[in-house]
Amino acid sequence: MGNVHDHAHDHGHDHGHGAEEEEGAPGTTLADRTYIPAVMRGIKLTLARFLQPKATVQYPEESVYDRGSDDRAIGTQNPRLRGEHILVKDEQGREKCVACLLCMAACPALCIYIEPEAAPADWGPDRERRPKVFELDMLRCIYCGYCEEACPCDAIRLTPKLYQPTTSRLERVYDKQRLLENNQDAQVPQRPRK
Amino acid sequence: MTADAAAGPGGEPGFTPDFTFSIDGVTVPAKKGDTILKAGLRAGKFIPHYCWHPGLSIAGNCRICLVHATKTMPPGKPVIACATEVVEGMEVESDGPRTKELREGVMEFLLINHPLDCPVCDQAGECDLQQYSFDHGRETSRFEEEKTQRPRKDLGPLIRFVGNRCIVCTRCVRFCEEVAGTGELSVVNRGDASWIDTFPGVELDNPMSGCVADICPVGALLDKDSMHSTRVWLLRGTKSVCAGCATGCNVNVETFDEKVKRITPRENQAVNRWWMCDAGRLTWREATAPARVGAARIAGQEVPFARALERALELVRDASGGVVGLTTGFASNEELFTFQGLVGRGAIAAAFAPDGATFTSRDGFAIAADKNPNREGARRILGEGALGAAGQDAAIAALEEGKVGLAIVHDAAPGGAPWSPRLLAALGKAKARIVLALHETPANADALRGAAVVLPAAHATEKDGTFVNAMGRVQRVRPAVPPPAGARSDLDVLEELARAAALQPRVLSAAGVFRRLAQALPAQFGGLDYNALGELGRPAPGAGEALLGRGRPLPIVDGVRSGYEAGPVSRAPGRADDEQVRPSVHHESLVGYGTRRGDL
């Protein structure tokens, strides 16, 4: 930073005094006119940076949070960060979603599409319906969490998993299976039932 | 505006007030014998109700319509608005803090045993219990004990009963007793253990059983056909007419994502009152049946629709010799009129679906034996000569002469039109054949086989036009969903063919064709204006009860404005109220047709 600042100052000075050149003023000395010290300073900076650890993060293979950076601008990942969704299963392995379509109604980005169907008979009398199709367009999603809030069954949750880049848009439309399997290891705190 | 239109749906054409009384300080006219609720609804003053329905007798058991009124006995005691007769000068308080307290109390009682399962309940979104709970209910429940559990079972082929949701308003019981006249349902048990059930060994399988799901103010009785298929707040209603029989019940075709989800009745006191039959409810499935002709064909090969239409236009342009036309009682008036113009002086035959089950309810609602929605229209437009066997014989004679260059077959009948085998055999004698078909079945397979061009025909839920019901009432049928992939509606196709045959300079919309039709046939359609047909239709010249022939004529009853129209009651009225007529033609094509948006 110091170098850059000095240079800027010099330049400003030069410019300000344009015509009336003084003896020994910046840019008139031999050292300045050969450029050698300036070039050496530049090389020194380059070499110093070259030997420092790299700041580049190989996204998406690694994340800024993996480094445990103490840079306050990056900080640590908030455990309450709203990332990709999961569909939760109950103790018996049935998806909790009853296809009430309230998340679809609450979604301001219109990124959820659900088609309900009657639940299989062997699911027992407590479950009447389930989603036949559950599609979530992660590209349209604004990660507001309204779906999670609207869900009466605690079936859709946002996890801290950041969205991953893909090579096609279609891959960002998650179907039911993918949402059920998505980030199952995520430590999502279970909310107590009312 | 005629008296019919001024009265509105369910209105009373000859209403003359005997005296006035007041509700919340507003002066309301009333007739002697009116109840507070009925007179209030007529004047647009809505009082909440569950058990009261304009088409059923008064039960007075839900108590949500409690109001305070003067001139009652004993003075100061709240009365139920649905069963209390008004007297001159009565002052009713239906919206004050005292009344609110009453409703809060009633709501609390009703919700004691009602489960909080709105997310999985198909009624949610059009549920009176939800609505009044929101309007008048308490925020939380004070009830800490166990809720009673009641059965959940199928009452009949179309109706599922979810006992826990039932508030025992007995609308369904009264419907089966007083309207259907079959009386399958009854309240069983007493107190908080009472619910609705069929009598032992009886099923709820009368021809109008679906109506109990419509009138159920909560989610206790559900239509199994549309159960779990969507949520009601997503549905968009199109005010159309059922094509299941010649009664022409007014219906809402409810769609989501360009798919029909269900068909529900729409009140029209001159036709179907508040009801419709179960068969009519399921007619939308014809449009998605496996037999549906989904793609256009040239000589049996599936091709894009535009190419097949191009080929059909060529055939019409190059046609030499006579033309023979076959149509059905499922074609709209506009289609029939254009079709008639297209066939010109050639023979034209209309086939009709055979008579089916008929039923007349105790309140006069009739399911016609005639299963063709537009037989009366065909009679008025094509004339008696084209109908039935006479028409088919004429067509056979023309075909067997061997001078027919082009046969045009318009078969919009579900299951295929029942043309006689002789006619189907004779069809082969025409040099070329253009077929518009809804379904491909053994009945009409011979007509499709060997056709130069086959085009998919539109189902009634995809059509824009008019039908004439058995009583001679001209009613609009409106497109709720687009025709199958890439296809254009039958009327569009027929109009294009007529233009190709140099019969007319341009293609008209249904409104345009109807205008010409009304001018050309004054005795049959004179004085009718397409845009003035409105939601309830208009009687055509010569319309009357005599035309029905079978079943009893439907009387125009001394009804009041229905609860459906007056407030947030069963079947969310606002949903279908916006008049959205979707043009069957893409707006960019209109320029090419020389038609303006206003024509559609």
Side-chain angles (χ1 to χ4, degrees):
Chain A
M1 278 309 278
N3 282 343
V4 175
H5 183 259
D6 284 351
H7 187 73
H9 180 76
D10 290 352
H11 188 75
H13 191 76
D14 263 0
H15 193 74
H17 295 273
E20 27 180 312
E21 281 188 5
E22 288 169 37
E23 195 63 27
T28 59
T29 61
L30 184 68
D32 282 355
R33 288 162 67 164
T34 59
Y35 290 101
I36 290 167
V39 168
M40 292 314 285
R41 279 203 301 277
I43 289 172
K44 187 184 156 204
L45 179 70
T46 307
L47 285 173
R49 286 279 186 254
F50 187 74
L51 295 172
Q52 275 174 15
K54 274 179 283 183
T56 312
V57 175
Q58 293 299 326
Y59 183 79
E61 286 79 15
E62 53 178 355
S63 143
V64 284
Y65 303 120
D66 295 346
R67 297 269 176 90
S69 167
D70 52 348
D71 187 338
R72 288 193 63 204
I74 298 172
T76 51
Q77 184 172 7
N78 191 322
R80 290 170 63 188
L81 182 127
R82 296 191 299 257
E84 284 194 348
H85 311 64
I86 54 169
L87 280 178
V88 182
K89 289 181 181 173
D90 65 8
E91 301 78 17
Q92 297 164 51
R94 312 173 296 189
E95 60 250 28
K96 275 188 171 181
C97 177
V98 295
C100 68
L101 277 66
L102 287 178
C103 52
M104 193 170 159
C107 181
L110 308 177
C111 69
I112 304 178
Y113 178 79
I114 307 170
E115 269 178 35
E117 68 174 359
D122 60 337
W123 276 22
D126 61 323
R127 286 296 306 276
E128 268 187 82
R129 49 198 278 165
R130 68 164 182 184
K132 180 165 71 182
V133 177
F134 196 118
E135 280 174 4
L136 205 153
D137 188 343
M138 295 286 179
L139 286 173
R140 287 195 78 147
C141 180
I142 57 168
Y143 301 92
C144 65
Y146 281 12
C147 50
E148 193 180 18
E149 210 168 301
C151 184
C153 302
D154 203 12
I156 191 167
R157 307 293 299 272
L158 269 64
T159 69
K161 183 183 177 186
L162 284 172
Y163 51 87
Q164 299 294 309
T166 53
T167 50
S168 79
R169 282 161 196 270
L170 203 60
E171 282 175 67
R172 303 293 304 148
V173 180
Y174 284 23
D175 63 5
K176 185 172 90 172
Q177 205 51 40
R178 187 154 180 203
L179 285 165
L180 281 167
E181 287 162 5
N182 195 22
N183 205 21
Q184 284 297 2
D185 310 330
Q187 293 298 307
V188 186
Q190 290 291 312
R191 279 180 296 193
R193 300 290 294 175
K194 273 180 215 155
Chain B
M1 198 184 262
T2 63
D4 193 347
E12 300 167 76
F15 173 70
T16 43
D18 294 333
F19 53 83
T20 62
F21 72 111
S22 79
I23 301 180
D24 301 326
V26 180
T27 308
V28 173
K31 231 168 30 178
K32 202 165 166 354
D34 276 349
T35 59
I36 299 174
L37 188 67
K38 196 170 164 181
L41 283 177
R42 192 194 289 119
K45 182 74 199 172
F46 183 79
I47 297 171
H49 51 268
Y50 293 118
C51 67
W52 183 84
H53 186 281
L56 305 172
S57 65
I58 295 166
N61 58 25
C62 76
R63 316 308 283 185
I64 193 73
C65 65
L66 277 175
V67 291
H68 284 280
T70 59
K71 303 196 177 187
T72 56
M73 279 302 287
K77 189 171 177 247
V79 292
I80 47 172
C82 71
T84 307
E85 262 189 41
V86 287
V87 290
E88 193 165 4
M90 183 186 248
E91 285 168 24
V92 179
E93 180 199 311
S94 82
D95 212 4
R98 287 194 302 166
T99 325
K100 191 178 182 311
E101 203 186 327
L102 294 173
R103 287 180 194 157
E104 260 184 38
V106 172
M107 278 311 299
E108 197 173 7
F109 272 125
L110 289 173
L111 292 174
I112 277 183
N113 280 314
H114 194 87
L116 189 57
D117 64 350
C118 302
V120 289
C121 175
D122 279 277
Q123 188 84 0
E126 55 181 10
C127 175
D128 292 354
L129 206 60
Q130 258 185 345
Q131 184 66 45
Y132 300 156
S133 182
F134 185 77
D135 290 347
H136 315 290
R138 298 168 54 91
E139 224 171 287
T140 52
S141 170
R142 293 186 291 171
F143 187 71
E144 288 169 356
E145 291 76 11
E146 288 263 304
K147 295 189 180 216
T148 57
Q149 295 298 319
R150 288 179 270 182
R152 179 193 300 209
K153 60 193 256 187
D154 287 348
L155 293 183
L158 198 65
I159 297 297
R160 183 154 177 80
F161 174 66
V162 184
N164 288 347
R165 296 177 190 152
C166 182
I167 59 166
V168 204
C169 71
T170 70
R171 267 189 184 184
C172 51
V173 176
R174 281 173 285 144
F175 175 84
C176 290
E177 189 74 35
E178 299 161 10
V179 179
T182 44
E184 297 98 336
L185 294 179
S186 174
V187 180
V188 297
N189 297 333
R190 293 285 179 98
D192 70 351
S194 53
W195 68 79
I196 304 299
D197 208 341
T198 51
F199 284 99
V202 179
E203 266 206 321
L204 178 59
D205 59 354
N206 69 62
M208 307 164 70
S209 68
C211 293
V212 299
D214 292 333
I215 60 173
C216 182
V218 297
L221 293 167
L222 299 169
D223 176 356
K224 281 199 276 181
D225 180 52
S226 61
M227 196 166 69
H228 302 323
S229 70
T230 183
R231 304 312 306 261
V232 291
W233 55 79
L234 297 169
L235 297 175
R236 185 180 147 273
T238 304
K239 293 181 175 181
S240 191
V241 166
C242 175
C245 80
T247 300
C249 289
N250 289 213
V251 295
N252 270 323
V253 181
E254 303 190 30
T255 56
F256 171 60
D257 203 17
E258 302 202 325
K259 290 184 205 83
V260 180
K261 295 293 179 183
R262 65 175 184 186
I263 295 182
T264 49
R266 182 161 61 83
E267 183 185 350
N268 185 342
Q269 289 301 318
V271 181
N272 57 317
R273 309 199 68 187
W274 302 269
W275 325 121
M276 75 182 291
C277 73
D278 294 351
R281 241 170 245 278
L282 304 177
T283 48
W284 65 270
R285 293 209 176 261
E286 292 159 3
T288 52
R292 182 86 196 260
V293 177
R297 299 174 210 161
I298 294 179
Q301 295 296 309
E302 288 198 359
V303 293
F305 182 84
R307 226 179 97 202
L309 180 60
E310 205 47 55
R311 178 83 189 105
L313 297 179
E314 272 171 32
L315 287 174
V316 170
R317 253 181 242 125
D318 305 341
S320 57
V323 180
V324 158
L326 306 185
T327 186
T328 65
F330 286 82
S332 70
N333 294 323
E334 291 74 15
E335 287 159 11
L336 288 166
F337 186 71
T338 304
F339 192 76
Q340 192 189 32
L342 197 54
V343 177
R345 263 175 285 170
I348 192 163
F352 299 100
D355 280 5
T358 175
F359 177 80
T360 305
S361 78
R362 284 176 74 176
D363 72 343
F365 167 81
I367 301 170
D370 180 4
K371 296 301 166 195
N372 301 278
N374 202 25
R375 185 197 290 261
E376 177 60 20
R379 192 184 68 77
R380 283 169 184 257
I381 293 166
L382 306 178
E384 298 283 358
L387 310 186
Q392 298 210 20
D393 288 343
I396 292 167
L399 284 162
E400 283 181 343
E401 228 173 90
K403 287 182 188 160
V404 173
L406 181 66
I408 307 172
V409 181
H410 180 207
D411 181 0
W419 283 299
S420 67
R422 267 182 65 217
L423 179 58
L424 288 172
L427 264 182
K429 300 234 167 77
K431 280 194 208 105
R433 192 188 327 152
I434 300 170
V435 180
L436 283 91
L438 177 70
H439 285 168
E440 185 173 13
T441 64
N444 66 354
D446 286 340
L448 269 75
R449 200 177 306 124
V453 179
V454 174
L455 297 166
H459 184 253
T461 53
E462 301 157 0
K463 274 185 191 190
D464 196 4
T466 57
F467 284 151
V468 187
N469 81 352
M471 285 183 296
R473 195 175 184 86
V474 182
Q475 306 190 99
R476 280 287 307 277
V477 48
R478 292 183 172 88
V481 285
R488 281 163 63 183
S489 76
D490 302 10
L491 181 64
D492 261 6
V493 171
L494 294 172
E495 281 281 303
E496 286 282 8
L497 294 180
R499 181 168 68 168
L503 294 167
Q504 57 191 48
R506 56 178 207 158
V507 165
L508 292 177
S509 63
V513 177
F514 191 86
R515 206 171 298 137
R516 281 195 318 196
L517 161 72
Q519 281 163 5
L521 301 166
Q524 286 84 9
F525 292 94
L528 289 170
D529 175 1
Y530 192 78
N531 293 322
L533 290 175
E535 291 161 10
L536 302 177
R538 288 276 172 281
E545 295 173 357
L547 287 170
L548 192 59
R550 303 160 248 244
R552 275 208 329 260
L554 302 174
I556 295 177
V557 294
D558 175 21
V560 297
R561 272 175 67 107
S562 130
Y564 293 159
E565 300 292 331
V569 187
S570 304
R571 303 296 150 200
R575 203 175 55 246
D577 275 356
D578 47 337
E579 175 80 358
Q580 287 183 5
V581 182
R582 185 197 302 225
S584 53
V585 191
H586 191 265
H587 61 92
E588 280 169 15
S589 326
L590 293 180
V591 182
Y593 297 155
T595 315
R596 279 169 300 120
R597 163 82 52 203
D599 288 343
L600 290 167

